[in-house]
């Protein structure tokens, strides 16, 4: 027969294995916490594909007929499509394809791209098309401004494109570095008609010559006594004087260069997006992370890399952060940590004041960290990340755990006062039997609230 004394002796004799199990749970929770990925939102791919087509300065009405309509007709052939919405502006169009929630978005993206490829020959030759599925990973996780009081928008953009972008791309977990703003450099030619007429030149000849230059081309190999050389023709134009000395005509009597009949000026290209940082023109650097990258560690690595970058930038150029998504996650983690410590403190105060028991406070002090560690292990095991949804759930659950712990300890203490001569194990069993139906009902009522979100496979269901 199992008596309370035997049960008590069993716990006492097995206190070391029990302590070891509790220690393993705590270490497992700490390990899971160190390995958990962090992000602002859960990694959810919404059933939406965005298609962006760009064709320079094409008028809206022509853009609608030659680009938007053919793309819409091709997109409508994709299985699982529910709705197509498009916006056409001068030189560009943006099309959103909304798919069913039960389709594989990756397969839908592949089929949609295949449908677009079939009609590419019917589209204008210079149109560029990009497609992407919508998920939180395509949004910037941090942003920086590149500023200078003495440099032009052209110089800032070139610095961002050829110095900042390659340097920051070296950070692990970076998917893309986007350069937004600034001005592209353009060469404007003002032709002298009289000189062109005397030289026998026409605009078509000049256009043909310009279109056949500014390239890098491999010319094959050249063998020379056990050595093999790769020959490359470099006809790129990088400066104004190179363009001025470009040969337009050579009839063996006279070499006609571009500067002989035209004036060349360096101008800023026309941009439809203007970036203003601290009251002056600037360039934005947007950082896109890989889907499985840790947001907090990536942000820390980016801060270190930006500090190194500042040392190699010109002294009159500065790079400053203006947006850090990791700050929101760190604030959420701090909020959960504050809730844990405040909850523990209040629970211990309640146990000491109202129950007048240090042992009761110790029970609460042990229960909450063990439960939290088990929760972290489960989150890590099922592949979830630290985000505002999981952190909010942990913060809310801590309150329920503290409430249940206080109620149980208080009921045991009350039962002990009513039956002071009863054995402790019997008192615990009586108190638990009294509270068990109410606690089960309370827990089920909390779980039932989330059942509609669980069965919903759409946006809200995926988030919860």
């Amino acid at each position: 027969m199992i008596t309370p004394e035997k049960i008590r002796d069993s716990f006492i004799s097995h206190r070391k294995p029990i302590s070891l199990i509790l220690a393993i749970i705590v270490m497992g929770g700490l390990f899971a916490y160190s390995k958990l990925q962090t992000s602002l939102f859960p990694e959810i791919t919404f059933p939406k594909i965005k298609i962006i087509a760009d064709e320079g300065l094409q008028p809206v009405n022509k853009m609608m007929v030659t680009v938007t309509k053919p793309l819409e007709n091709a997109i409508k052939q994709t299985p699982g499509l529910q709705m197509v919405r498009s916006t056409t502006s001068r030189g560009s169009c943006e099309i959103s394809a909304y798919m069913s929630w039960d389709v594989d978005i990756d397969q839908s993206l592949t089929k949609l791209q295949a449908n677009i490829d079939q009609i590419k020959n019917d589209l204008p030759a210079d149109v560029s098309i990009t497609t992407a599925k919508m998920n939180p990973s395509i949004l910037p996780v941090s942003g920086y401004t590149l500023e200078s009081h003495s440099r032009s928008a052209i110089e800032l953009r070139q610095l961002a494109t050829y110095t900042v972008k390659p340097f920051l791309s070296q950070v692990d977990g970076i998917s893309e570095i986007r350069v937004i703003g600034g001005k592209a450099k353009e060469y404007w030619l003002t032709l002298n008609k009289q000189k062109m007429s005397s030289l026998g030149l026409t605009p078509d000849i000049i256009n043909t010559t310009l279109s056949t230059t500014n390239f890098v081309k491999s010319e094959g190999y050249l063998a020379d006594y056990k050595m093999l050389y790769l020959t490359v023709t470099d006809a790129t134009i990088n400066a104004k004087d190179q363009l001025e000395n470009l040969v337009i005509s050579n009839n063996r009597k006279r070499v006609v260069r571009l500067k002989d009949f035209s004036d060349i000026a360096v101008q800023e290209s026309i941009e439809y997006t203007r970036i203003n940082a601290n009251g002056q023109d600037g360039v934005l650097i947007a950082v896109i992370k890989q889907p499985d990258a840790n947001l907090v560690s990536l942000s820390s690595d980016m801060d270190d890399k930006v500090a190194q970058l500042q040392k190699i930038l010109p002294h009159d150029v500065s790079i400053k952060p203006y947006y850090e998504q990791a700050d929101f996650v760190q604030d959420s983690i701090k909020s959960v940590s504050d809730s844990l410590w405040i909850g523990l403190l209040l629970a211990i105060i309640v146990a000491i004041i109202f129950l007048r028991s240090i042992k009761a406070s110790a029970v609460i002090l042990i229960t909450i960290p063990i439960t939290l560690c088990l929760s972290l292990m489960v989150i890590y095991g099922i592949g979830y990340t630290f985000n505002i949804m999981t952190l909010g759930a942990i913060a809310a659950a801590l309150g329920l755990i503290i409430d249940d712990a206080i109620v149980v300890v208080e009921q045991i203490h009350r039962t002990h006062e009513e039956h002071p001569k009863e054995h402790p194990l019997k008192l615990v069993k009586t108190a638990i039997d009294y509270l068990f139906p109410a606690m089960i009902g309370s827990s089920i009522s909390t779980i039932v609230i989330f059942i509609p979100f669980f069965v919903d496979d759409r946006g809200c269901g995926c988030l919860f």
Side-chain angles (χ1 to χ4, degrees):
M1 180 179 178
I2 300 176
T3 62
E5 289 78 8
K6 291 183 178 181
I7 297 177
R8 181 192 61 190
D9 295 340
S10 176
F11 277 106
I12 294 175
S13 60
H14 293 85
R15 63 182 183 273
K16 291 183 178 180
I18 293 175
S19 301
L20 179 61
I21 292 174
L22 295 179
I24 291 175
I25 292 175
V26 172
M27 290 188 293
L30 296 176
F31 174 80
Y33 176 77
S34 66
K35 294 296 182 180
L36 276 172
Q37 301 292 327
T38 55
S39 58
L40 184 60
F41 300 104
E43 292 295 333
I44 300 174
T45 300
F46 296 95
K48 177 183 177 182
I49 301 175
K50 186 174 287 292
I51 303 95
I52 300 176
D54 187 13
E55 198 193 354
L57 301 177
Q58 194 72 255
V60 176
N61 53 356
K62 188 175 180 180
M63 190 75 186
M64 177 72 74
V65 175
T66 60
V67 179
T68 305
K69 289 297 183 182
L71 285 177
E72 287 182 350
N73 294 332
I75 293 170
K76 289 177 181 178
Q77 300 176 16
T78 306
L81 181 69
Q82 288 188 336
M83 182 176 63
V84 176
R85 181 176 296 170
S86 64
T87 302
T88 305
S89 58
R90 182 179 179 87
S92 67
C93 73
E94 182 178 304
I95 304 175
S96 298
Y98 296 88
M99 316 300 293
S100 300
W101 278 93
D102 56 350
V103 301
D104 189 332
I105 192 64
D106 293 319
Q107 293 183 1
S108 298
L109 178 61
T110 302
K111 294 177 182 178
L112 187 144
Q113 290 174 335
N115 294 335
I116 293 177
D117 291 338
Q118 292 178 358
I119 65 164
K120 270 194 173 180
N121 294 332
D122 300 330
L123 299 175
D126 56 344
V127 65
S128 62
I129 302 173
T130 58
T131 58
K133 58 184 180 180
M134 300 299 295
N135 59 44
S137 296
I138 69 174
L139 302 175
V141 296
S142 60
Y144 301 87
T145 60
L146 197 66
E147 307 173 26
S148 176
H149 295 280
S150 58
R151 294 180 181 265
S152 65
I154 295 177
E155 293 175 308
L156 284 178
R157 182 164 180 172
Q158 290 181 336
L159 193 62
T161 303
Y162 299 111
T163 301
V164 176
K165 183 176 180 179
F167 192 83
L168 295 182
S169 297
Q170 300 173 10
V171 178
D172 291 337
I174 293 296
S175 172
E176 181 186 359
I177 300 293
R178 295 177 186 171
V179 177
I180 308 171
K183 298 290 183 67
K185 182 171 66 174
E186 291 184 346
Y187 295 101
W188 287 21
L189 276 64
T190 305
L191 303 179
N192 190 314
K193 294 182 179 180
Q194 294 181 350
K195 291 183 179 180
M196 288 177 57
S197 178
S198 63
L199 294 171
L201 299 175
T202 62
D204 291 337
I205 295 175
I206 301 171
N207 186 47
T208 302
T209 304
L210 291 175
S211 62
T212 56
T213 189
N214 197 31
F215 64 88
V216 177
K217 181 180 179 183
S218 174
E219 300 294 347
Y221 295 95
L222 178 64
D224 181 26
Y225 188 68
K226 296 184 181 181
M227 299 295 292
L228 195 62
Y229 299 95
L230 174 63
T231 59
V232 176
T233 300
D234 185 359
T236 55
I237 297 176
N238 301 313
K240 178 182 175 182
D241 58 339
Q242 295 178 348
L243 185 60
E244 290 176 337
N245 293 316
L246 179 65
V247 176
I248 302 298
S249 174
N250 185 0
N251 58 5
R252 298 184 180 180
K253 296 180 180 179
R254 180 177 179 180
V255 177
V256 179
R257 303 182 186 276
L258 192 59
K259 64 181 180 180
D260 296 334
F261 57 87
S262 66
D263 295 327
I264 303 174
V266 179
Q267 298 287 345
E268 297 178 347
S269 64
I270 300 176
E271 299 288 344
Y272 298 96
T273 301
R274 184 173 182 179
I275 305 299
N276 189 277
N278 295 325
Q280 59 187 358
D281 290 336
V283 175
L284 298 186
I285 310 296
V287 179
I288 313 297
K289 78 177 185 71
Q290 296 175 355
D292 57 346
N294 190 308
L295 177 60
V296 175
S297 61
L298 175 64
S299 177
S300 177
D301 293 342
M302 281 297 300
D303 292 340
D304 296 338
K305 201 68 174 179
V306 168
Q308 299 175 18
L309 175 63
Q310 185 65 67
K311 297 178 181 178
I312 66 174
L313 289 175
H315 67 279
D316 58 340
V317 177
S318 61
I319 181 169
K320 302 176 182 178
Y322 72 90
Y323 170 68
E324 289 284 353
Q325 195 179 91
D327 292 343
F328 297 99
V329 179
Q330 290 173 340
D331 289 342
S332 300
I333 295 175
K334 185 177 182 301
S335 175
V336 173
S337 177
D338 292 343
S339 299
L340 173 62
W341 292 113
I342 293 174
L344 283 174
L345 179 62
L346 293 177
I348 292 172
I349 291 175
V350 169
I352 293 176
I353 294 178
F354 294 95
L355 304 181
R356 301 179 299 280
S357 173
I358 301 297
K359 293 182 179 180
S361 303
V363 171
I364 297 174
L365 187 63
I366 295 174
T367 301
I368 295 175
I370 295 298
T371 307
L372 183 61
C373 289
L374 285 172
S375 302
L376 293 176
M377 293 170 63
V378 172
I379 291 175
Y380 177 72
I382 61 180
Y384 282 5
T385 63
F386 260 156
N387 53 71
I388 59 174
M389 301 300 295
T390 54
L391 290 173
I394 292 175
L398 285 177
L400 298 176
I401 295 172
I402 293 172
D403 179 68
D404 291 342
I406 292 176
V407 170
V408 171
V409 172
E410 190 275 337
Q411 182 61 33
I412 294 174
H413 191 271
R414 178 180 177 183
T415 305
H416 176 65
E417 289 181 344
E418 294 176 353
H419 307 280
K421 297 182 179 181
E422 291 286 346
H423 193 276
L425 291 180
K426 187 176 181 181
L427 287 176
V428 172
K429 184 178 182 302
T430 303
I432 295 299
D433 290 341
Y434 180 80
L435 288 177
F436 188 74
M439 293 179 65
I440 291 295
S442 175
S443 301
I444 291 177
S445 64
T446 303
I447 297 173
V448 165
I449 297 174
F450 296 95
I451 290 180
F453 299 105
F454 180 75
V455 298
D456 183 15
D457 59 353
R458 299 186 179 184
C460 293
C462 292
L463 287 173
F464 283 91

